[in-house]
């Protein structure tokens, strides 16, 4: 059977040692802050209107797991694993149109939405891949949380299954991702209730709630028309069933979730004590006659086919293709690029040769678009009411630049852009009243944490990307 490939070794960090030292302090201060706000319970205790949004809390958990990979401090890892345990427990079982066991999550805002769910699933996949490393670190430390002197796990961890054997966790995590993918690709017999579909089918709704027709799901597989093949729909959107292509869901679920599930099904978990095989789920034909690896590639190919000539990636939702230039409703170019970066890098990690050949050239103009739209202070996006949501999700675009320079082409202009963004984070990221909203805006905070982690150790928030080693400090 087809096996995941290993990308070639990265060329090294794009951040100077001076900036990296300051950035590491910034990043660990952010992680220490996140340790005390209830991430593990998926219930943030800070002043926020979004305490249980799974994509926000998943990004924070993923940031903490990356901190473990950077520092080997298992205190961070246990908070991330606590969130993953909570997240799996929140999965809602559903029978698919094929009679299979499926599963989905309420996003926290009362809507079944595959864009944000795919983001949360990436955090779960990182937990699945790192569970054995955390378990081993615990055993080497005599069963105690390792960390910096004086740093102790929060009190609310007392009842967490901190040292549950890695195979148990891995099996639960992989099974949950598999049930999610099965639901996305096979649909349902009875639609989820109105409180999970944004009011679809409820008394106040204008339309009835339904499942995808003809015993299908939201994924356009290999038998679909070329114009939609590989794409994934929203789930439920504006009180109606939405099966038409959505760029973000195609990236986070169609590319990233499929890639991670394939990787988990193909990889071997290895520990000092004993080799552990990730559960064999025999999912290679889950999407019709094509396997998960091809499903992920086709998702990226669909996105690549929508890229404008100047590199901007349009925010296509509910199957609506906005014209170029996009009207204000669809003016989320940075948001879109951030999420596409998630799908691109997650798939590249397992299929570097295929991604490089099939889709990488399509995203070269996108990198150039980012260079042309970077602010003088090193950030992306503008702080105004119209563009604020786009700016909040913009930090991840720097990871696309990193990937491009590291694996595709060593363009000096890209290296400068990456360094300028790192300098911006150090100078402005957490200052009182900072213009970027770190800690004040939890969406921004999570994306900043992921970007900073990969600036320090590229690949630390993804699976299977070879790590270039810690930055000299």
């Amino acid at each position: 059977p087809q096996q995941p490939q290993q990308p070639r070794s990265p060329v090294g960090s794009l951040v100077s040692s001076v900036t990296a030292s300051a950035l590491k302090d910034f990043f660990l201060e952010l992680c220490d802050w996140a340790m005390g706000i209830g991430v593990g319970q998926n219930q943030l205790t800070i002043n926020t209107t979004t305490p249980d949004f799974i994509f926000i809390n998943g990004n924070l958990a993923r940031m903490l797991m990356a901190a473990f990979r950077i520092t080997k401090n298992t205190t961070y890892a246990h908070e991330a694993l606590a969130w993953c345990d909570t997240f799996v427990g929140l999965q809602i079982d559903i029978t698919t149109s094929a009679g299979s066991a499926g599963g989905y999550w309420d996003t926290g805002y009362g809507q079944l939405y595959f864009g944000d769910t795919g983001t949360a699933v990436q955090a779960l996949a990182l937990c699945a891949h790192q569970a054995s490393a955390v378990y081993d670190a615990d055993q080497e430390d005599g069963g105690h949380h390792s960390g910096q002197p004086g740093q102790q796990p929060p009190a609310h961890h007392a009842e967490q299954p901190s040292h549950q054997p890695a195979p148990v966790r891995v099996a639960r995590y992989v099974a949950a991702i598999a049930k999610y993918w099965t639901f996305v690709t096979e649909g349902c017999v009875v639609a989820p209730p109105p409180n999970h579909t944004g009011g679809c089918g409820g008394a106040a709704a204008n339309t009835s709630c339904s499942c995808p027709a003809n015993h299908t799901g939201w994924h356009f597989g290999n038998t679909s028309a070329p114009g939609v093949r590989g794409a994934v729909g929203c789930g439920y959107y504006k009180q109606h069933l939405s099966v038409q292509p959505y760029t973000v869901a195609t990236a986070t679920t169609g590319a990233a979730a499929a890639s991670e599930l394939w990787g988990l099904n193909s990889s071997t978990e290895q520990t000092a004590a004993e080799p552990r095989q990730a559960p064999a789920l025999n999912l290679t034909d889950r999407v019709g006659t094509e396997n998960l690896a091809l499903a992920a590639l086709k998702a990226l190919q669909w996105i690549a086919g929508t890229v404008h000539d100047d590199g901007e990636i349009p925010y296509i939702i509910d199957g609506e293709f906005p014209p170029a230039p996009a009207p204000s409703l669809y003016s989320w170019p940075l948001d879109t690029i951030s999420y596409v970066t998630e799908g691109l890098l997650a798939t590249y990690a397992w299929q570097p040769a295929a991604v490089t050949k099939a889709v990488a050239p399509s995203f070269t103009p996108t990198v150039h678009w980012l260079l042309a739209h970077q602010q003088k202070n090193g950030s992306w996006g503008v702080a105004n009411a119209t563009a604020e949501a786009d700016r909040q999700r913009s930090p991840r675009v720097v990871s696309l630049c990193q990937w491009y320079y590291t694996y595709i082409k060593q363009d000096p202009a890209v290296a400068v852009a990456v360094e300028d963004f790192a300098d911006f984070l150090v100078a402005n990221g957490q200052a009182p009243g900072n213009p970027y909203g770190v800690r004040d805006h939890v969406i921004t905070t999570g994306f900043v944490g992921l970007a900073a982690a990969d600036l320090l150790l590229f690949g630390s928030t993804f699976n299977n990307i070879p790590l270039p080693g810690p930055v000299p400090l």
Side-chain angles (χ1 to χ4, degrees):
Q2 186 180 11
Q3 292 296 315
Q5 306 155 337
Q6 284 292 335
R8 61 185 176 86
S9 297
V11 297
S13 174
L14 299 182
V15 180
S16 69
S17 59
V18 173
T19 299
S21 179
L23 184 63
K24 186 173 182 180
D25 289 342
F26 162 87
F27 175 68
L28 294 181
E29 287 175 9
L30 192 60
C31 290
D32 291 342
W33 169 81
M35 288 291 294
I37 61 171
V39 172
Q41 289 68 49
N42 196 53
Q43 285 287 337
L44 300 188
T45 57
I46 56 177
N47 183 21
T48 175
T49 58
T50 59
D52 58 349
F53 283 19
I54 59 174
F55 78 99
I56 294 174
N57 299 342
N59 278 348
L60 293 173
R62 191 170 159 203
M63 173 186 77
L64 292 173
M65 187 58 80
F68 159 70
R69 301 182 80 180
I70 293 168
T71 67
K72 305 306 178 186
N73 183 341
T74 59
T75 304
Y76 297 126
H78 283 290
E79 184 76 353
L81 290 172
W83 180 84
C84 289
D85 289 340
T86 300
F87 182 58
V88 169
L90 292 172
Q91 189 174 47
I92 300 163
D93 292 335
I94 191 167
T95 301
T96 73
S97 64
S100 306
Y104 68 90
W105 284 272
D106 178 359
T107 50
Y109 49 84
Q111 188 163 319
L112 201 166
Y113 200 70
F114 296 140
D116 289 341
T117 304
T119 296
V121 166
Q122 273 199 273
L124 183 60
L126 187 61
C127 284
H129 278 283
Q130 292 302 308
S132 290
V134 178
Y135 183 83
D136 285 346
D138 281 336
Q139 302 311 302
E140 293 171 6
D141 193 44
H144 300 287
H145 294 277
S146 62
Q148 301 299 323
Q151 188 172 38
Q152 298 295 328
H156 65 251
H157 279 202
E159 300 303 321
Q160 291 292 343
S162 300
H163 307 294
Q164 118 184 197
V168 176
R169 267 196 163 119
V170 172
R172 291 179 63 236
Y173 295 171
V174 176
I177 299 171
K179 286 167 63 178
Y180 171 65
W181 181 256
T182 302
F183 173 62
V184 171
T185 56
E186 294 184 1
C188 50
V189 178
V190 178
N195 62 319
H196 294 155
T197 57
C200 175
N206 296 321
T207 59
S208 60
C209 204
S210 60
C211 293
N214 302 319
H215 302 288
T216 60
W218 287 264
H219 177 266
F220 291 90
N222 63 337
T223 60
S224 303
V228 294
R229 188 175 300 157
V232 174
C234 283
Y236 294 88
Y237 176 67
K238 292 186 176 180
Q239 297 189 326
H240 69 269
L241 172 70
S242 178
V243 298
Q244 295 305 310
Y246 177 30
T247 305
V248 174
T250 302
T252 64
T253 291
S259 291
E260 296 295 5
L261 184 55
W262 179 62
L264 285 163
N265 195 45
S266 304
S267 65
T268 300
E269 297 281 346
Q270 186 79 31
T271 71
E274 59 177 308
R276 291 196 245 282
Q277 182 71 35
L281 301 175
N282 299 318
L283 293 172
T284 54
D285 61 350
R286 178 63 73 187
V287 189
T289 59
E290 67 182 339
N291 63 25
L292 288 158
L294 288 177
L297 279 176
K298 288 183 177 180
L300 290 180
Q301 287 175 321
W302 180 83
I303 295 170
T306 70
V307 178
H308 292 164
D309 290 343
D310 67 354
E312 182 178 348
I313 305 175
Y315 183 78
I316 298 166
I317 187 167
D318 213 20
E320 296 181 13
F321 286 70
S328 59
L329 175 63
Y330 297 96
S331 294
W332 286 43
L334 296 167
D335 164 288
T336 309
I337 294 171
S338 280
Y339 286 118
V340 169
T341 298
E342 292 279 279
L344 178 64
L345 269 62
T347 305
Y348 179 85
W350 297 104
Q351 304 183 75
V355 170
T356 300
K357 180 180 179 180
V359 298
S362 299
F363 295 110
T364 296
T366 303
V367 174
H368 295 158
W369 186 94
L370 289 172
L371 298 182
H373 288 80
Q374 189 174 24
Q375 300 296 315
K376 291 182 179 179
N377 65 5
S379 69
W380 279 275
V382 294
N384 61 48
T386 302
E388 181 58 30
D390 192 44
R391 177 182 166 89
Q392 288 180 8
R393 296 159 175 83
S394 67
R396 195 45 147 170
V397 303
V398 74
S399 301
L400 178 63
C401 295
Q402 274 187 283
W403 168 81
Y404 179 82
Y405 184 93
T406 303
Y407 295 108
I408 306 302
K409 182 181 180 181
Q410 296 177 34
D411 183 343
V414 175
V416 171
V418 172
E419 177 85 21
D420 285 350
F421 180 74
D423 288 338
F424 166 80
L425 287 184
V426 170
N428 300 287
Q430 295 192 129
N434 69 84
Y436 215 28
V438 175
R439 300 194 192 193
D440 294 331
H441 298 298
V442 286
I443 293 176
T444 303
T445 303
F447 280 106
V448 164
L450 296 178
D454 279 318
L455 285 169
L456 291 168
L457 191 60
F458 188 59
S460 58
T461 70
F462 291 95
N463 296 308
N464 207 48
I465 292 180
L467 306 178
V471 176
L473 299 177

